[in-house]
Amino acid sequence: MARQVRALATREQILIAAADEIRRVGYSEATLAAISASAGVTTGALYFHFDSKQSIARALIEMQHRIVRTAAEEILKRPDESPLTKMMLMCADLGDRLVDDPVVRAGIRLTTDQSTFEKPVQEPYRDWLITFEDLATEAEAQGQTTGEIPPVVLARFIIPAYTGVQLVSETFTERRDLLERIHEMWQILIRAILPSDAQPAALAEADHIFATSRSTAAMQGA
Amino acid sequence: MARQVRALATREQILIAAADEIRRVGYSEATLAAISASAGVTTGALYFHFDSKQSIARALIEMQHRIVRTAAEEILKRPDESPLTKMMLMCADLGDRLVDDPVVRAGIRLTTDQSTFEKPVQEPYRDWLITFEDLATEAEAQGQTTGEIPPVVLARFIIPAYTGVQLVSETFTERRDLLERIHEMWQILIRAILPSDAQPAALAEADHIFATSRSTAAMQGA
Amino acid sequence: MARQVRALATREQILIAAADEIRRVGYSEATLAAISASAGVTTGALYFHFDSKQSIARALIEMQHRIVRTAAEEILKRPDESPLTKMMLMCADLGDRLVDDPVVRAGIRLTTDQSTFEKPVQEPYRDWLITFEDLATEAEAQGQTTGEIPPVVLARFIIPAYTGVQLVSETFTERRDLLERIHEMWQILIRAILPSDAQPAALAEADHIFATSRSTAAMQGA
Amino acid sequence: MARQVRALATREQILIAAADEIRRVGYSEATLAAISASAGVTTGALYFHFDSKQSIARALIEMQHRIVRTAAEEILKRPDESPLTKMMLMCADLGDRLVDDPVVRAGIRLTTDQSTFEKPVQEPYRDWLITFEDLATEAEAQGQTTGEIPPVVLARFIIPAYTGVQLVSETFTERRDLLERIHEMWQILIRAILPSDAQPAALAEADHIFATSRSTAAMQGA
DNA sequence: ACCCGCGGGACGACCCGTTACT
DNA sequence: AGTAACGGGTCGTCCCGCGGGT
C-alpha cells in the first residue's frame, strides 16, 4: 500500500519531467538521462516504471487525452448551451490548457510532431472529429446553421484548422496569442455556417467566451 | 567547368536523397549515413558539399521555398484572375506539390516539425502571410468581399488552417485526400467572406480549380 | 557497498589502461576505443565513469600528482636528512617512478606534451618549485650552501632542468639511463651550490642515493 | 624559371602557415585544411609540394635545424671568443629565435612533443650534444674549466637542461622570461665548472651576453 | 514490490588525411 | 595546381538491461 503510493508518486514525477523535456525539445531530442535527472530518479527507476522511451510517450499522450476529453465531456453535459457554443467552449478550454498545462503541451507536441512513432497518432484526432461532427449535426437539426456545409465537412475542417492555428501560434509567439487566433477563427467560421440574422448573437457569444477564458483573462490583468 | 556541372549534380543528388529520407522519417531520425548511401556517395562527398546536417536542412528549406514561391509569383502575375482566384490557385498549386514533389514535402516537414532547429522557422510563413494579406486587401478594394473580415485576420487564419489541413491529411491518408480537403476549406471560406450573391460563381470557380489540379485529375484517371 | 567496490575497480582498470595507452602514444593519438578495449570494458562503461577523454587525462594527472606528492611528503618528514639530501632523494624517487609506474609516466607525458589541453598544466610544476625553493632556503639558512645562488633561482632551474633530463632520456633510451643522468645533474649542482670543502661528502651522498635507487639497483642486478 | 620561383614561393607559404599552426596547436591537432586555408592555397597545391602531413613536419624540422645550425657555425667561427663564451652565445641565439622565429618555434615543438613521429627525433639533439662536448673539451684543454666534470657529462646535462628550461618557460610565460632563465642557468653552470678565480669574469661575460640579446634588449626598450 | 548502480553495445555526426581526374 | 570525392575512424552519448539491495 504505502509502497504503491510511493511508486505512483515516482511514476508521476517521471511523467512530469518527461512532459517538460518533450515540450521543450521534442521526442527525439529528449533524452532519458535528462528526464531522469530532472525527475530526481535514476534510469534504473525509470525503467522499472516504463518499458521504453516510447512507452513514456504513449503514457503522456494518453494522460493528455484523458485530461482534455474529461473537460470536453463536462462541456458536452451542459444543458443550457447550444451545440455551437459547446464547440467554442471546447476550443477555448483546450486553448487554455495548451498554454498552461505541461502535460497537454507535451501530448500535443507528441501528436503533432511526426517523428515520434512509426505510425502517426490518429486516435485523438478521431475523437475530436466525431465529437465535432455530432455537435454540427445537432446544430443543423436545431436549425442553428444554414445547412449548406455538411456536418462532416465542417468537423473535417475545424479540427485540422485548429491544429494549424495552434502550431503557427507556437511558432510565432509560443502560443501567447493563441486565444486571440482561435477567437478570430470562430469569427470566420460563424460567418460561414450561420444565417446572417443569427450571426450577431453568435459573434457576441464568441466575444464573451474568449474574453473570459483563462489565458485571455490573465493578459487583461497584466 | 565540366567539373562544376558534375559537382552540382552530386550536390543535387545529395539533396534529393536527403529530401526523401527526411520526408520519410523526419530530421532527427534521418542519418547522414542513410542519406549518403541513398545518394550513392560517401559521407566525405557529403561533407564536401555541406558543412553539417543542419546546413542540408537549411538548403532543403530554401530550395522548397524557392520552388513554391516561384510558382506563386507566376500565379500573381496572371492578369485575368481575381485575387480570390489567385489565392485558390496558390493553395491548389502548393497542394499538388505537397503530394508530388519530394523536395517540397521534405521542406514542409522541416518547417512543420519543431525539432529541426533551435529557433522555429518563420520565414516561409511570413511570406505567405504577406502575400495572402495583400490579395485579401486587393479583393476588398475591388468590392469582392463583404469587408467584414479584415484582410490581416483572414490571412492570419488561412495560412495556419492550410498548414493544419495538410498536416492532418498526411496523418490520415498520407495526403491522398489533400486536394479534396483544401477544396472543402475554400467552400467554407467563400461563404465566410463573400456576399451571398457572389458565392455561387466563386464556388463554381473553386470546383473548377480543384477538379483540374494535377492530383485530383490523376485520381479521376485512376 | 559491494557495488562501489566493483565500480571503483572498473574505474581503476580504465585509468590503468588509459595510462598505458597515453604513455605509449600520447594524448591525442590515444583512442577511447583502444583504452576501453585494453581495460576490458565497453565505451559505455567508460562513459559512465568519465565525462570525456579530457576528464580521463585530468584524473590521470591528478592521480600521478597525488602519488609523487605523497612520496615527497614522506621524504620531507625525515628528521635526519639535510635539505640537500631531501632534494636528491625526491629526484631519485621520482626518477624511479618515471621508470616503473605507468600512471606517473602517463601523467608526466600529459604534463609535458603541450597538446593535451588548451591551457598548459602549471599546478604540478608550481608545487615542485615551492618545495624546492623551501628546501633551498632551509639549506642556505643552515649554512649548507654558499649562498651565492638565491633559493628561488636554484629551484627555478632545477625543476625545468629535471624536466628536460627526463624528456631527453626518454628520447634516447626510453629512460633506461634516467637515474644516471639525474646523478650527473647533481654532481654538477653540488659543485655549483656547495662550498668546496662540503662537496666531497655531498658527492658521496649522491653516489649512495643514486646507487641504491630501485632502477639503478635493478640494472646492477641484471 | 618564373615557374620555379612561383612554386618555391608557394612552398614557402605553406611551410610558414604550417609552422604557425603547429606552433599554436601542435602536430596532431594541426589540420591540413587549416594550414592550406591559412596559406591561401588548396589542398591540391599542398599535396603537389609535399607527400604527406609528416613530410611537412620533416621539412619544418629540417628548416629549423638549418637555421639554428647556420647561426651556430657562425658563432663557432669567431676567433676571439673562448669556448665557454661560444656556448653561452649559442644558448642566447637559440633563445632569441625561440621567441621570435616561427619556424624555429614550430620545429622545437615538433622535436619536443613526443606525439609527432613513431620514433622520437634524435638528430638535432645529437648535433648539439657533439657541439657542446667539443667546446667543453676545448675549454678543458685550455685550462678554462676545473676539469672535475668530464666534457661529455657536461654536454649531456646542458642540452637536456636547456630543453627543459625552454619548455617550462613556454608553460608559464609563453617564453617571455626565457632569456632570463637561460641567464640564470649559466650563472649556476659557471659556478659548477669554472675555478673560483675565473668565475667573476665569466659571470660578467654572461651578464653582457644576455643583456644584449635581442629579446632582452626588446624588453628593456619596452 | 520497488529501486538503483553499473555496465553494454550500437551508431551518430563530424572530419581528417589522401587521392583520381582535369 | 585545383576540384571533387573517398573511406576510415574519433569522440560522444543514447537507450537499454543485468544483478543485487532494501
Side-chain angles (χ1 to χ4, degrees):
Chain A
M1 275 299 138
R3 286 282 163 167
Q4 288 210 353
V5 170
R6 184 171 168 75
L8 279 178
T10 302
R11 196 188 136 96
E12 205 77 354
Q13 277 171 39
I14 293 170
L15 279 176
I16 300 297
D20 225 61
E21 203 63 16
I22 287 173
R23 173 191 63 75
R24 276 188 32 241
V25 299
Y27 176 77
S28 33
E29 297 297 308
T31 72
L32 296 186
I35 291 171
S36 46
S38 153
V41 301
T42 63
T43 56
L46 196 151
Y47 266 85
F48 175 78
H49 290 287
F50 299 95
D51 287 344
S52 67
K53 189 183 177 185
Q54 290 230 350
S55 79
I56 296 181
R58 265 190 289 271
L60 230 31
I61 290 181
E62 200 187 318
M63 193 172 171
Q64 170 250 350
H65 199 224
R66 204 171 51 243
I67 291 173
V68 297
R69 291 305 301 178
T70 303
E73 304 293 344
E74 287 302 315
I75 292 169
L76 280 179
K77 280 188 212 146
R78 296 204 204 169
D80 316 332
E81 310 292 3
S82 74
L84 185 75
T85 301
K86 288 178 180 171
M87 290 194 217
M88 292 194 288
L89 284 169
M90 285 179 188
C91 286
D93 179 80
L94 180 55
D96 283 337
R97 295 180 199 279
L98 280 169
V99 173
D100 292 336
D101 189 325
V103 172
V104 172
R105 297 187 70 154
I108 283 290
R109 177 148 194 189
L110 285 169
T111 310
T112 307
D113 273 18
Q114 299 162 311
S115 310
T116 314
F117 305 104
E118 282 299 298
K119 301 265 177 72
V121 183
Q122 302 186 339
E123 296 302 313
Y125 286 124
R126 232 189 287 272
D127 285 348
W128 288 115
L129 284 168
I130 293 171
T131 303
F132 271 63
E133 184 180 346
D134 288 351
L135 286 170
T137 305
E138 204 182 325
E140 184 173 331
Q142 294 179 8
Q144 204 179 2
T145 63
T146 62
E148 292 182 24
I149 311 288
V152 65
V153 170
L154 189 60
R156 215 150 59 186
F157 174 61
I158 293 181
I159 304 307
Y162 190 95
T163 302
V165 165
Q166 156 268 324
L167 195 149
V168 176
S169 170
E170 167 72 28
T171 297
F172 278 102
T173 67
E174 293 178 338
R175 297 214 184 103
R176 278 187 299 274
D177 70 346
L178 177 57
L179 269 293
E180 290 178 63
R181 295 291 91 77
I182 302 173
H183 188 181
E184 289 177 359
M185 176 180 94
W186 276 104
Q187 289 172 337
I188 292 170
L189 288 173
I190 284 168
R191 288 188 171 90
I193 59 178
L194 292 201
S196 306
D197 53 358
Q199 290 179 14
L203 289 170
E205 177 89 32
D207 288 350
H208 179 251
I209 289 173
F210 291 100
T212 58
S213 83
R214 278 178 301 185
S215 303
T216 310
M219 291 187 74
Q220 311 294 75
Chain B
M1 288 300 131
R3 283 287 164 188
Q4 287 216 353
V5 170
R6 185 168 169 76
L8 281 178
T10 304
R11 196 190 137 97
E12 207 78 353
Q13 279 171 41
I14 293 170
L15 279 176
I16 300 297
D20 226 62
E21 204 62 16
I22 287 172
R23 174 191 62 75
R24 276 186 35 239
V25 299
Y27 177 76
S28 33
E29 298 297 309
T31 73
L32 295 187
I35 290 171
S36 46
S38 152
V41 301
T42 62
T43 56
L46 194 150
Y47 184 76
F48 176 79
H49 288 285
F50 299 95
D51 286 343
S52 65
K53 189 181 176 187
Q54 288 230 352
S55 81
I56 296 181
R58 264 190 290 270
L60 232 30
I61 289 181
E62 200 185 320
M63 193 171 171
Q64 171 250 350
H65 199 224
R66 207 173 47 242
I67 292 173
V68 298
R69 290 304 301 179
T70 302
E73 304 293 342
E74 286 303 316
I75 292 170
L76 280 178
K77 281 189 213 144
R78 296 203 204 170
D80 315 331
E81 311 291 3
S82 75
L84 186 74
T85 302
K86 287 177 181 173
M87 290 194 217
M88 292 194 288
L89 284 170
M90 283 180 190
C91 286
D93 178 81
L94 180 55
D96 283 337
R97 295 180 200 278
L98 281 168
V99 173
D100 292 336
D101 189 324
V103 172
V104 173
R105 297 187 70 154
I108 284 290
R109 176 147 193 191
L110 284 170
T111 309
T112 306
D113 273 18
Q114 298 162 312
S115 311
T116 314
F117 305 103
E118 280 302 293
K119 301 265 176 73
V121 183
Q122 302 187 341
E123 291 302 309
Y125 286 123
R126 231 189 287 271
D127 285 348
W128 288 116
L129 284 168
I130 293 171
T131 303
F132 271 63
E133 184 180 345
D134 288 349
L135 286 170
T137 304
E138 204 182 326
E140 185 174 329
Q142 295 178 8
Q144 204 178 1
T145 62
T146 64
E148 292 180 23
I149 310 287
V152 65
V153 170
L154 189 60
R156 217 151 59 187
F157 174 61
I158 294 181
I159 305 306
Y162 189 95
T163 303
V165 165
Q166 156 268 322
L167 195 150
V168 176
S169 170
E170 167 73 28
T171 297
F172 278 102
T173 68
E174 293 178 338
R175 296 214 185 103
R176 279 188 298 276
D177 68 347
L178 177 57
L179 270 293
E180 290 177 63
R181 295 291 90 77
I182 302 172
H183 189 181
E184 291 177 359
M185 176 179 94
W186 275 104
Q187 289 172 339
I188 291 171
L189 288 173
I190 284 168
R191 289 186 171 89
I193 58 179
L194 292 201
S196 307
D197 54 356
Q199 290 178 14
L203 289 169
E205 177 90 32
D207 289 350
H208 179 252
I209 288 173
F210 289 101
T212 58
S213 85
R214 281 177 299 187
S215 303
T216 311
M219 292 186 73
Q220 310 298 70
Chain C
M1 286 301 134
R3 285 286 166 186
Q4 287 215 354
V5 170
R6 185 170 169 76
L8 281 178
T10 303
R11 196 189 136 97
E12 207 78 353
Q13 278 171 40
I14 294 170
L15 279 177
I16 301 297
D20 225 63
E21 203 63 16
I22 287 173
R23 174 190 63 75
R24 275 187 34 241
V25 299
Y27 177 76
S28 35
E29 298 298 308
T31 73
L32 297 186
I35 291 171
S36 45
S38 152
V41 301
T42 62
T43 56
L46 195 150
Y47 182 74
F48 176 79
H49 288 284
F50 299 94
D51 286 342
S52 65
K53 189 182 176 185
Q54 288 230 352
S55 81
I56 295 181
R58 264 189 290 270
L60 232 30
I61 288 180
E62 202 186 320
M63 194 171 171
Q64 171 250 349
H65 199 223
R66 208 173 47 243
I67 291 173
V68 297
R69 289 305 300 179
T70 303
E73 305 293 342
E74 287 303 316
I75 293 170
L76 280 179
K77 280 189 215 143
R78 296 205 204 169
D80 315 331
E81 311 292 2
S82 73
L84 185 76
T85 302
K86 286 179 182 173
M87 290 194 217
M88 291 194 287
L89 284 169
M90 283 180 189
C91 286
D93 179 80
L94 181 56
D96 284 337
R97 295 180 199 278
L98 281 168
V99 173
D100 290 336
D101 189 324
V103 172
V104 172
R105 297 187 70 153
I108 284 291
R109 177 148 193 189
L110 285 170
T111 309
T112 306
D113 274 19
Q114 299 163 312
S115 310
T116 315
F117 305 104
E118 281 300 294
K119 302 265 176 73
V121 183
Q122 304 186 340
E123 291 303 309
Y125 286 123
R126 231 189 287 270
D127 285 348
W128 288 115
L129 284 169
I130 292 171
T131 303
F132 271 63
E133 184 181 346
D134 288 350
L135 286 170
T137 305
E138 205 182 325
E140 185 174 329
Q142 296 179 7
Q144 203 177 4
T145 62
T146 64
E148 292 181 23
I149 311 287
V152 65
V153 170
L154 189 60
R156 214 150 60 187
F157 173 61
I158 295 182
I159 305 306
Y162 190 96
T163 304
V165 165
Q166 154 269 322
L167 195 149
V168 176
S169 170
E170 167 73 29
T171 298
F172 279 101
T173 67
E174 293 177 340
R175 295 212 185 103
R176 278 187 300 275
D177 69 348
L178 177 56
L179 270 292
E180 291 176 61
R181 294 291 90 76
I182 301 172
H183 189 180
E184 289 176 359
M185 175 179 95
W186 275 105
Q187 290 174 337
I188 292 171
L189 287 173
I190 284 169
R191 290 188 171 88
I193 59 180
L194 291 199
S196 306
D197 54 356
Q199 289 179 13
L203 289 169
E205 176 91 33
D207 289 349
H208 178 252
I209 288 173
F210 290 101
T212 57
S213 84
R214 280 176 301 186
S215 302
T216 309
M219 290 186 75
Q220 311 297 70
Chain D
M1 275 299 138
R3 285 281 160 165
Q4 288 210 353
V5 170
R6 184 173 167 74
L8 279 178
T10 302
R11 197 188 135 95
E12 205 78 354
Q13 277 172 39
I14 294 170
L15 279 176
I16 300 296
D20 226 62
E21 203 63 16
I22 287 173
R23 174 191 61 76
R24 275 188 33 242
V25 300
Y27 178 76
S28 36
E29 298 296 308
T31 72
L32 296 185
I35 291 171
S36 46
S38 152
V41 302
T42 62
T43 55
L46 197 151
Y47 266 87
F48 176 80
H49 289 286
F50 299 95
D51 286 344
S52 66
K53 190 183 178 184
Q54 289 230 352
S55 81
I56 296 180
R58 264 189 291 271
L60 231 31
I61 289 181
E62 200 186 318
M63 193 171 169
Q64 171 250 350
H65 200 223
R66 205 171 51 241
I67 292 173
V68 296
R69 290 305 301 179
T70 303
E73 305 295 342
E74 287 302 317
I75 292 170
L76 281 179
K77 281 188 215 147
R78 296 204 203 171
D80 315 330
E81 311 291 1
S82 73
L84 184 75
T85 302
K86 287 179 181 172
M87 290 195 217
M88 291 194 287
L89 283 170
M90 284 180 189
C91 286
D93 179 79
L94 181 55
D96 283 337
R97 294 180 200 280
L98 281 169
V99 173
D100 291 335
D101 190 323
V103 172
V104 172
R105 299 187 69 154
I108 283 290
R109 177 148 193 190
L110 285 170
T111 309
T112 306
D113 273 18
Q114 299 162 311
S115 311
T116 314
F117 305 105
E118 282 301 295
K119 301 265 177 71
V121 183
Q122 303 185 340
E123 295 303 312
Y125 287 123
R126 231 187 288 271
D127 285 347
W128 288 115
L129 284 168
I130 292 171
T131 304
F132 271 63
E133 184 180 347
D134 288 350
L135 287 170
T137 305
E138 204 182 327
E140 186 173 330
Q142 295 179 8
Q144 203 178 2
T145 62
T146 64
E148 292 181 24
I149 312 287
V152 65
V153 170
L154 188 59
R156 215 150 59 186
F157 173 61
I158 294 182
I159 304 306
Y162 189 95
T163 304
V165 165
Q166 155 269 324
L167 194 149
V168 175
S169 170
E170 168 72 29
T171 298
F172 278 101
T173 67
E174 293 177 339
R175 296 213 185 103
R176 277 187 300 275
D177 68 348
L178 177 56
L179 270 293
E180 289 177 63
R181 294 292 89 78
I182 301 173
H183 188 183
E184 289 177 0
M185 176 178 95
W186 275 104
Q187 289 173 338
I188 292 171
L189 288 173
I190 284 169
R191 289 188 171 88
I193 59 180
L194 292 199
S196 306
D197 54 357
Q199 290 178 14
L203 289 169
E205 177 92 32
D207 289 350
H208 179 252
I209 289 173
F210 292 101
T212 57
S213 84
R214 278 177 302 188
S215 303
T216 309
M219 290 186 76
Q220 309 297 70

